[in-house]
């Protein structure tokens, strides 16, 4: 599953496909349907992975297990309802309680009966339905025995399912009508009666039709092969004989268009049917643009894995609004409408679209053909699909539409680095957990940055450790042996051990079954008299965890056994440069420190040091002390690894003051990797130094690489300097000439942030400019979103009021509307008057949180949390029934915690307010509160109080200061 909000910070939008990958560089979190972590930088990670009281999760032992589902589904596309007649075969595995259960949420049953498959004799049953599960109990005298096959027949109706089925929004009269399923991880239950667990893998037959006979051009799609000979007029019949868990099932019906890949591009792929599908308002040209890489990617993938493509008959891909990412359903992959690109969006997004296609196609092997036995082994699908994206870049580089003749190896390293940083961020800001674990609050919480980039990096380390030939041979053997089977982590480990003749228990224990990763502080010391340099590293992850304990976390592994490659450049007297390789070896039985000594030849000096320049180890490292400005500058200007250039940037800015700013600013444009330039720009902006800001602005003006421009403008988006409004306006005018969506999104946010603290006239001008963008809407609301983000960055009542009309249905496209709702929450949350914040929260609670579209409801609930009115936490709690349970576990609980934390802050503010009142009464003669009262305050409260007193020279000024500070 790929979710834009989880996956991309360097590529910028997570589910299946970790679309956080997409949301990071492109900063499309406002567009992404996912607001979690999944994954993701795009999605905000829940601070808590699991509660201390969480018990291990195990796959169910079903007394009767579903083996075949035959469902006739009649859709009413206008009423958003489904009438379903289903026959379910179940194999009796054992007779214990004479009971089995099927998942189904909010169904209206007409009938339920059970019979024996053999002979068809009816079986007497009792059944109970609690709104979530159908429990069937067959009588003791039924004669049912282990090995028998039962057939349950049920007729039921589902009205406007909360999740699991995406319906068209029908905002306009001529909008195409359609529906399409969207299940991961356990959302098939919202419309399909089934055992909604990954280890249960039935076969399927679907008969799809619509009751809306007035609709023209209706087509149906599903997993498996179409059986035209079995169809009645207006019906579409599909059979899937491949054992498939419910989360990989997909059906769709409606007014779609399709484009089939011509035979000339299918060389070497046999007779496979590769077809691209989308609602009929998507043009053929856009469909082809989105999926053009498919045949080439399939040839590459089968060669890389060393096994034939698992589904040789069909590979269909469909674009549907608000899928929220992409999902690897068997033979029928779904994609969010964000992957429907016009010509402008393709300049920023084409490489991401290509990589997501590779991600989902990789699941045909890792996830569809080889199915995880249960969710603790989810890394065997998502980590693999993530790493295959990196490998695709390694072999093919960026597409020519992004960069002609790109450096493939640098593209590969950029992806690896970006993946590592996303994983580190979640570990640093939220939690650490083992990659393989049964302890989680909900299966959906497994789909985070630990799983996608964190697990992908562990595969990369295995490859580096074993060597390419051995690693890929082991992968080939693994895929070949377990095709059509359930897999556990030990299965993969054993295949690698068999081909390498190595014991991999240490690696799997350390990197997969334990939590955390090495965090290393580096220090360089010199003994000039002996011509020696010593590099010392200390693993500090345990210290950091003890200093900032994280509730609900697993314990960190104290020390990792790792060998870190170190590349040293020695400069001889005549300027000749020589490179040497050294190793910094850490051993858990020798403590947290490791050293390596470098002997310098006579009349030579150390040029620079680069840590793991070829990315062998998942290592979060930094310079504890500066190794010297000359060495840092040498890395910045002549280093071969952009990751080390970023580390040198951080050290230079931290330890060398204005001189460091000047050197980094001078080196910015020369950083060779597009991601590296963006990251160096981000570090410069974080200093707020005028020289640094000027350097980044100049770099943005001069940048020709589109992705680098997106990253650099992303760095500028955090700017809040009123003196830079004109610079940002100039950059916006230039980006309009370049016809670039994503840089404009970033720049409008920067414009709003800078204007927030500018004079009245400048604020009015900027607000007018942002407002003018809103009605333009644009492809997927990209133009409207730019204006909305600018207004959200300005914040306050006026900005929120400007956005408010565009939250209504039909004013903007659905994606533009969702962005407007998110921006409204941000802007209203910065309003100075609490009465306005309360009114804004009430407006969200009265309408958008009850929208027909789940993605809009989720955006509105997020906006409600952004407003920050703690009294509305109950409203969010009560919305539990309006979204899927997995989204409640991962998103709504985060919102509720945020508002309750805000409530605690309000209580503190009230205490400060009472003290302010006592000061105001004394006018100019301040009477400080008793010492005991001051000491009862937190450090932050004491600072706030001291600041208010220091700034005040009269009671009226104090009142104004307190009002401003309290707001």
């Amino acid at each position: 599953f790929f979710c834009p909000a989880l996956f991309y910070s360097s590529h910028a939008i997570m589910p299946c496909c970790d679309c956080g990958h997409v949301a990071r560089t492109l900063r499309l979190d406002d567009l992404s349907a996912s607001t979690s972590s999944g994954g993701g930088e795009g999605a905000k990670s829940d601070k808590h992975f699991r509660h201390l009281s969480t018990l291990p999760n195990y796959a169910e032992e079903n007394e009767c297990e579903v083996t075949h589902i035959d469902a006739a589904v009649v859709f009413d596309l206008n009423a958003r309802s489904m009438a379903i007649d289903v026959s379910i075969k179940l194999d009796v595995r054992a007779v214990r309680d004479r009971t089995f259960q099927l998942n189904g949420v909010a169904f209206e049953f007409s009938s339920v009966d059970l019979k024996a498959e053999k002979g068809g004799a009816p079986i007497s049953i009792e059944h109970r339905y609690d709104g979530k599960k159908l429990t069937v109990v067959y009588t003791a005298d039924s004669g049912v025995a282990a090995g028998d096959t039962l057939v349950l027949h049920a007729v039921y109706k589902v009205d406007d399912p909360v999740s699991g089925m995406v319906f068209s929004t029908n905002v306009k009269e001529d909008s195409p009508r359609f529906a399409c399923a969207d299940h991961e991880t356990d959302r098939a239950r919202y419309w399909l009666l089934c055992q909604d667990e990954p280890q249960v893998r039935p076969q399927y037959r679907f008969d799809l039709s619509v009751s809306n006979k007035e609709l023209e051009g209706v087509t149906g799609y599903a997993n498996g092969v179409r059986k035209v000979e079995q169809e009645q007029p207006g019906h579409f019949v599909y059979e899937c004989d491949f054992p498939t868990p419910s989360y990989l099932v997909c059906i769709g019906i409606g007014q779609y268009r399709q484009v089939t890949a011509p035979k000339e591009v299918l060389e070497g792929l046999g007779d496979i049917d590769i077809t691209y599908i989308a609602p009929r308002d998507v043009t053929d040209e856009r469909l082809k643009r989105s999926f053009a890489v498919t045949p080439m990617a399939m040839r590459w993938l089968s060669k890389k894995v060393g096994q034939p493509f698992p589904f040789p008959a069909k590979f269909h891909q469909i674009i549907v609004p608000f899928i929220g990412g992409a999902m690897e359903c068997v033979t029928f992959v779904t994609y969010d409408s964000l992957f429907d690109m016009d010509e402008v969006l393709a300049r920023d997004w084409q490489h991401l679209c290509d990589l997501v296609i590779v991600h989902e196609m990789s699941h045909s092997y890792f996830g569809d053909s080889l199915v995880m036995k249960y969710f603790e082994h989810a890394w065997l699908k998502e980590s693999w699909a993530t790493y295959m994206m990196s490998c695709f870049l390694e072999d093919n580089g960026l597409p020519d539409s992004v960069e002609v003749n790109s450096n493939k190896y640098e593209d590969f390293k950029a992806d690896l680095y970006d993946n590592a940083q996303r994983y580190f961020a979640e570990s640093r800001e939220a939690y650490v957990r083992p990659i393989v674990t049964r302890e989680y609050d909900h299966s959906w919480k497994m789909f985070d940055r630990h799983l996608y980039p964190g697990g992908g990096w562990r595969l990369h380390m295995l490859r580096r450790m074993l060597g390419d030939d051995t690693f890929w041979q082991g992968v080939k053997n693994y895929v070949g042996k377990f095709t059509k089977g359930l897999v556990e982590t030990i299965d993969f480990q054993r295949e690698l051990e068999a081909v390498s003749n190595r014991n991999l228990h240490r690696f799997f224990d350390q990197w997969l079954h334990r939590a955390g990763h090495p965090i290393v502080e580096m220090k360089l010391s010199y003994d000039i008299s002996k011509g020696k340099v010593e590099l010392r590293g200390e693993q500090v992850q345990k210290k950091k965890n003890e200093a900032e304990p994280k509730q609900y976390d697993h314990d960190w592994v104290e020390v990792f056994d790792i060998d870190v490659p170190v590349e040293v450049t020695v400069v001889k007297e005549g300027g000749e440069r020589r490179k040497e390789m050294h190793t910094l070896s850490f051993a858990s039985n020798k403590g947290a420190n490791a050293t390596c000594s470098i002997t310098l030849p006579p009349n030579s000096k150390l040029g620079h040091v680069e840590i793991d320049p070829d990315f062998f180890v998942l290592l979060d490292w930094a310079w504890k002390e500066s190794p010297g400005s000359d060495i840092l500058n040498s890395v910045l200007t002549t280093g071969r690894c952009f990751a080390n250039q970023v580390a040198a940037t951080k050290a230079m800015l931290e330890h060398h003051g204005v001189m460091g700013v000047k050197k980094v600013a001078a080196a910015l444009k020369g950083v060779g990797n597009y991601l590296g330039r963006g990251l160096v720009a981000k570090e410069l902006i974080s200093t707020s130094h005028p020289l640094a800001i000027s350097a980044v602005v100049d770099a943005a003006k001069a940048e020709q690489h589109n992705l680098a421009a997106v990253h650099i403008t992303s760095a500028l988006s955090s700017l809040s300097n009123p003196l830079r409004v004109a610079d940002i306006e100039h950059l916006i005018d230039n980006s309009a000439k370049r016809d670039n969506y994503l840089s404009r999104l970033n720049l409008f946010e920067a414009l709003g942030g800078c204007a927030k603290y500018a004079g009245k006239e400048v604020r009015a001008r900027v607000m007018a400019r942002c407002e003018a963008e809103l009605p333009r809407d644009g492809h997927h609301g990209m133009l409207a979103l730019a204006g909305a983000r600018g207004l959200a960055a300005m914040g306050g009542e006026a900005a929120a009021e400007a956005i408010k009309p565009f939250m209504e249905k039909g004013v903007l496209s659905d994606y533009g509307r969702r962005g407007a709702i998110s921006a409204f929450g941000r802007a209203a949350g910065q309003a100075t008057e609490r009465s306005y914040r309360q009114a804004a929260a009430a407006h969200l609670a009265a309408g958008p949180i009850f929208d027909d579209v789940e993605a809009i409801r989720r955006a509105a609930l997020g906006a409600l949390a952004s407003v920050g009115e703690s009294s509305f936490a109950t409203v969010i709690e009560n919305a539990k029934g309006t979204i899927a349970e997995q989204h409640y576990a991962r998103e709504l609980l985060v919102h509720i915690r945020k508002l309750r934390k805000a409530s605690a802050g309000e209580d503190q503010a009230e205490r400060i307010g009472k003290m302010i009142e006592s000061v105001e009464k004394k006018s100019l003669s301040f009477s400080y509160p008793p010492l005991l009262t001051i000491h009862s305050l937190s450090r932050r409260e004491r600072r706030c109080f001291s600041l208010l007193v220091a700034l005040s020279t009269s009671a009226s000024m104090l009142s104004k200061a307190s009002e401003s500070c309290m707001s």
Side-chain angles (χ1 to χ4, degrees):
F1 172 73
F2 186 96
C3 161
L6 273 188
F7 207 93
Y8 282 97
S9 64
S10 80
H11 307 302
I13 283 196
M14 180 177 178
C16 153
C17 184
D18 175 13
C19 281
H21 214 35
V22 178
R24 292 190 333 265
T25 296
L26 309 183
R27 293 180 50 79
L28 289 179
D29 22 317
D30 291 328
L31 291 178
S32 171
S34 171
T35 57
S36 93
S37 130
E41 345 157 348
K44 306 295 187 294
S45 292
D46 187 349
K47 296 289 185 183
H48 313 299
F49 177 71
R50 55 116 191 168
H51 194 277
L52 286 173
S53 62
T54 298
L55 297 175
N57 294 271
Y58 297 95
E60 293 286 342
E61 291 187 69
N62 296 305
E63 186 170 317
C64 299
E65 189 160 291
V66 175
T67 59
H68 190 276
I69 294 178
D70 187 340
V73 187
V74 182
F75 290 80
D76 185 332
L77 296 178
N78 292 326
R80 303 167 65 88
S81 66
M82 308 159 71
I84 301 174
D85 187 320
V86 64
S87 293
I88 301 175
K89 290 183 181 181
L90 302 102
D91 280 356
V92 181
R93 303 294 174 89
V95 178
R96 293 186 296 268
D97 302 322
R98 296 177 287 103
T99 301
F100 62 87
Q101 291 185 320
L102 299 170
N103 301 104
V105 178
F107 293 177
E108 184 181 329
F109 284 98
S110 300
S111 64
V112 177
D113 58 69
L114 186 69
K115 66 180 181 180
E117 182 187 40
K118 190 174 183 180
I123 297 173
S124 178
I125 62 170
E126 295 179 2
H127 67 272
R128 305 185 300 274
Y129 180 61
D130 63 3
K132 292 184 178 181
K133 286 186 177 181
L134 176 69
T135 302
V136 178
V137 182
Y138 52 89
T139 59
D141 59 359
S142 61
V144 174
D148 289 351
T149 299
L150 308 179
V151 179
L152 180 132
H153 177 253
V155 178
Y156 61 95
K157 185 180 180 183
V158 184
D159 285 319
D160 199 7
V162 164
S163 192
M165 185 65 65
V166 176
F167 284 89
S168 50
T169 53
N170 309 335
V171 172
K172 299 178 181 177
E173 189 64 32
D174 59 346
S175 298
R177 269 52 171 176
F178 54 84
C180 188
D182 181 26
H183 292 167
E184 194 168 45
T185 58
D186 54 12
R187 292 182 291 143
R189 64 187 64 188
Y190 289 93
W191 68 271
L192 179 63
L193 190 64
C194 61
Q195 289 173 332
D196 205 5
E197 300 169 1
Q199 79 279 10
V200 179
R201 299 179 301 143
Q203 298 172 318
Y204 300 86
R205 180 181 183 273
F206 289 110
D207 184 330
L208 311 177
S209 61
V210 298
S211 62
N212 317 95
K213 302 304 179 185
E214 74 279 5
L215 296 180
E216 298 179 354
V218 171
T219 311
Y221 302 92
N223 310 95
V225 178
R226 186 174 176 183
K227 298 293 182 179
V228 178
E229 68 278 4
Q230 300 178 22
E231 295 179 352
Q232 300 294 323
H235 288 244
F236 304 89
V237 177
Y238 286 82
E239 289 186 355
C240 179
D241 60 4
F242 196 92
T244 302
S246 53
Y247 81 91
L248 292 175
V249 167
C250 186
I251 63 172
I253 194 166
Q255 294 172 309
Y256 291 109
R257 74 165 66 239
Q258 67 178 50
V259 174
T260 298
K263 290 291 182 183
E264 55 266 26
V265 302
L266 302 181
E267 182 181 351
L269 299 176
D271 295 325
I272 191 169
D273 168 19
I274 294 179
T275 296
Y276 319 135
I277 306 157
R280 69 182 183 188
D281 54 354
V282 177
T283 65
D284 287 358
E285 179 186 13
R286 300 210 307 257
L287 262 177
K288 293 175 184 177
R289 179 184 294 125
S290 295
F291 296 122
V293 78
T294 301
M296 184 272 277
M298 191 175 290
R299 283 188 289 269
W300 171 83
L301 185 60
S302 58
K303 181 179 180 182
K304 196 75 177 177
V305 176
Q307 296 285 357
F309 192 69
F311 305 102
K314 163 187 165 184
F315 189 73
H316 285 189
Q317 298 173 105
I318 184 170
I319 287 175
V320 182
F322 295 123
I323 288 292
M327 183 61 208
E328 70 275 10
C329 305
V330 170
T331 71
F332 187 35
V333 182
T334 59
Y335 295 84
D336 190 274
S337 281
L338 289 174
F339 296 97
D340 159 32
M341 302 174 293
D342 67 0
E343 192 174 355
V344 178
L345 183 57
R347 297 190 189 113
D348 299 312
W349 196 254
Q350 184 70 63
H351 72 296
L352 293 179
C353 188
D354 291 354
L355 290 175
V356 173
I357 289 169
V358 170
H359 182 112
E360 302 309 326
M361 193 183 294
S362 298
H363 280 308
S364 297
Y365 294 94
F366 308 105
D368 294 4
S369 181
L370 285 70
V371 178
M372 62 179 178
K373 194 165 188 178
Y374 208 57
F375 291 105
E376 65 265 29
H377 305 293
W379 84 289
L380 293 175
K381 72 186 198 80
E382 295 303 347
S383 302
W384 258 116
T386 301
Y387 187 53
M388 294 306 284
M389 299 165 79
S390 302
C391 294
F392 184 80
L393 281 173
E394 180 184 25
D395 291 345
N396 301 282
L398 293 169
D400 288 345
S401 59
V402 175
E403 182 179 9
V404 178
N405 297 322
S406 69
N407 186 320
K408 299 174 185 178
Y409 185 56
E410 284 299 308
D411 296 339
F412 175 55
K413 287 170 61 176
D415 202 60
L416 288 173
Y417 181 85
D418 190 53
N419 285 343
Q421 296 307 311
R422 288 186 296 113
Y423 164 68
F424 293 156
E426 184 171 77
S427 299
R428 182 170 54 250
E429 298 164 11
Y431 54 81
V432 294
R433 70 167 180 88
I435 304 301
V436 180
T437 179
R438 291 188 175 93
E439 297 176 3
Y440 47 83
D441 292 339
H442 191 283
S443 60
W444 186 231
K445 298 187 81 169
M446 288 290 288
F447 292 75
D448 56 6
R449 293 178 195 156
H450 281 66
L451 186 70
Y452 287 84
W457 244 98
R458 282 147 172 92
L459 290 169
H460 177 66
M461 285 192 291
L462 274 168
R463 177 184 163 194
R464 290 295 203 202
M465 183 173 72
L466 300 179
D468 277 13
D469 292 344
T470 301
F471 176 80
W472 290 112
Q473 183 61 51
V475 172
K476 178 181 178 180
N477 296 350
Y478 165 69
V479 171
K481 182 175 181 177
F482 292 99
T483 292
K484 291 191 178 182
L486 293 170
V487 288
E488 300 177 272
T489 299
I490 191 64
D491 298 322
F492 180 51
Q493 178 182 334
R494 284 172 177 159
E495 291 306 310
L496 291 182
E497 286 179 334
V499 76
S500 65
N501 292 315
R502 294 185 65 171
N503 183 337
L504 297 178
H505 283 299
R506 182 192 296 271
F507 181 93
F508 277 78
D509 283 351
Q510 179 171 260
W511 289 101
L512 277 302
H513 298 293
R514 298 174 188 167
H517 59 272
I519 302 176
V520 177
E521 291 180 347
M522 300 290 185
K523 181 180 177 181
L524 210 59
S525 59
Y526 302 84
D527 188 334
I528 299 175
S529 63
K530 296 181 180 179
K532 287 186 176 297
V533 178
E534 183 178 81
L535 176 67
R536 179 185 178 88
E538 180 185 8
Q539 291 192 32
V540 296
Q541 59 269 18
K542 185 185 178 189
K543 288 183 180 178
K544 287 183 176 293
N545 196 49
E546 289 172 342
E548 302 173 18
K550 300 181 180 71
Q551 192 180 9
Y552 310 116
D553 280 355
H554 297 264
D555 293 332
W556 284 73
V557 178
E558 292 195 6
V559 174
F560 280 75
D561 295 296
I562 51 173
D563 290 329
V564 181
V566 178
E567 184 175 284
V568 174
T569 301
V570 176
V571 182
K572 294 185 178 180
E573 190 173 18
E576 179 187 349
R577 304 174 75 88
R578 187 188 74 202
K579 293 186 177 180
E580 301 175 355
M581 290 304 301
H582 297 263
T583 301
L584 196 60
S585 293
F586 291 88
S588 55
N589 61 353
K590 295 182 180 179
N593 297 302
T595 60
C596 73
S597 294
I598 305 159
T599 301
L600 299 177
N603 301 318
S604 63
K605 65 176 182 178
L606 185 64
H608 61 253
V609 177
E610 296 194 73
I611 309 298
D612 194 18
D614 293 301
F615 294 13
F616 275 72
V617 186
L618 181 59
L619 185 69
D620 188 2
W621 73 274
W623 290 108
K624 182 178 181 179
E625 300 175 2
S626 173
S629 61
D630 289 346
I631 289 177
L632 293 175
N633 194 53
S634 177
V635 174
L636 268 172
T637 54
T638 64
R640 72 176 181 90
C641 175
F642 76 91
N644 278 272
Q645 290 176 312
V646 174
T649 294
K650 293 178 179 180
M652 187 75 88
L653 296 176
E654 180 180 357
H655 298 292
H656 294 283
V658 176
M659 184 270 288
V661 172
K662 290 180 178 179
K663 287 186 177 295
V664 174
L668 172 59
K669 294 180 184 178
V671 176
N673 185 280
Y674 69 88
L675 175 59
R677 292 201 292 283
L679 294 173
V680 171
K682 182 179 178 181
E683 294 300 326
L684 280 168
I685 289 294
S686 70
T687 68
S688 299
H689 194 285
L691 289 175
I693 297 172
S694 295
V696 177
V697 169
D698 289 344
K701 291 176 182 177
E703 186 57 63
Q704 296 301 309
H705 193 294
N706 207 45
L707 288 184
V710 172
H711 286 289
I712 293 171
T713 55
S714 176
L716 286 169
S717 68
S718 62
L719 201 58
S720 56
N721 187 329
L723 301 178
R724 297 292 177 171
V725 169
D727 287 330
I728 303 300
E729 286 180 315
H730 178 69
L731 287 171
I732 289 175
D733 293 337
N734 282 346
S735 72
K737 295 173 186 175
R738 292 175 60 171
D739 217 8
N740 176 293
Y741 288 141
L742 301 178
S743 289
R744 283 175 64 80
L745 287 176
N746 293 329
L747 290 171
F748 266 93
E749 182 147 356
L751 182 63
C754 292
K756 181 176 183 175
Y757 302 105
K760 185 175 180 180
E761 291 183 5
V762 173
R763 289 201 306 272
R765 184 180 81 236
V766 170
M767 183 167 288
R769 182 164 191 167
C770 292
E771 284 186 68
E773 294 292 306
L774 291 170
R776 296 177 65 192
D777 201 9
H779 189 66
H780 298 320
M782 287 285 186
L783 299 178
L785 185 57
R789 281 173 57 169
L791 290 168
M794 292 185 72
E797 294 91 330
E801 284 298 304
I803 298 168
K804 193 173 182 179
F806 297 91
M807 297 164 53
E808 302 303 318
K809 276 188 176 181
V811 179
L812 295 177
S813 63
D814 289 331
Y815 284 87
R817 180 175 173 236
R818 182 172 64 177
I821 289 171
S822 296
F824 175 79
R826 286 178 58 196
Q830 300 171 66
T832 55
E833 295 293 334
R834 187 174 186 187
S835 59
Y836 183 84
R837 297 197 301 274
Q838 291 174 328
H843 181 75
L844 288 165
I849 68 168
F850 300 109
D851 195 84
D852 291 340
V853 180
E854 186 188 14
I856 297 288
R857 295 195 295 270
R858 289 163 61 195
L861 290 165
L864 190 55
S866 296
V867 174
E869 280 301 306
S870 58
S871 57
F872 283 82
T874 304
V875 174
I876 296 179
E877 277 186 303
N878 293 338
K880 181 176 181 179
T882 69
I883 67 171
E885 184 179 343
Q886 67 187 42
H887 296 315
Y888 176 81
R890 191 165 174 176
E891 296 174 22
L892 291 202
L893 287 178
V894 177
H895 300 330
I896 293 166
R897 290 188 193 114
K898 178 179 179 179
L899 290 183
R900 286 178 176 162
K901 186 176 180 180
S903 178
E906 289 165 7
D907 292 341
Q908 291 179 346
E910 186 176 352
R911 293 166 61 195
I912 298 173
K914 290 179 180 178
M915 288 186 293
I916 290 172
E917 288 177 11
S918 70
V919 175
E920 286 178 326
K921 289 176 183 177
K922 300 296 181 180
S923 186
L924 291 175
S925 57
F926 296 107
S927 66
Y928 288 91
L931 190 62
L932 183 62
T933 305
I934 288 287
H935 283 181
S936 70
L937 300 178
S938 70
R939 181 181 297 178
R940 179 174 295 177
E941 290 170 336
R942 291 200 299 271
R943 285 177 178 170
C944 180
F945 180 75
S946 300
L947 177 64
L948 289 169
V949 173
L951 290 176
S952 303
T953 56
S954 70
S956 60
M957 286 187 68
L958 176 58
S959 177
K960 291 177 182 178
S962 65
E963 180 181 345
S964 174
C965 196
M966 293 296 291
S967 71

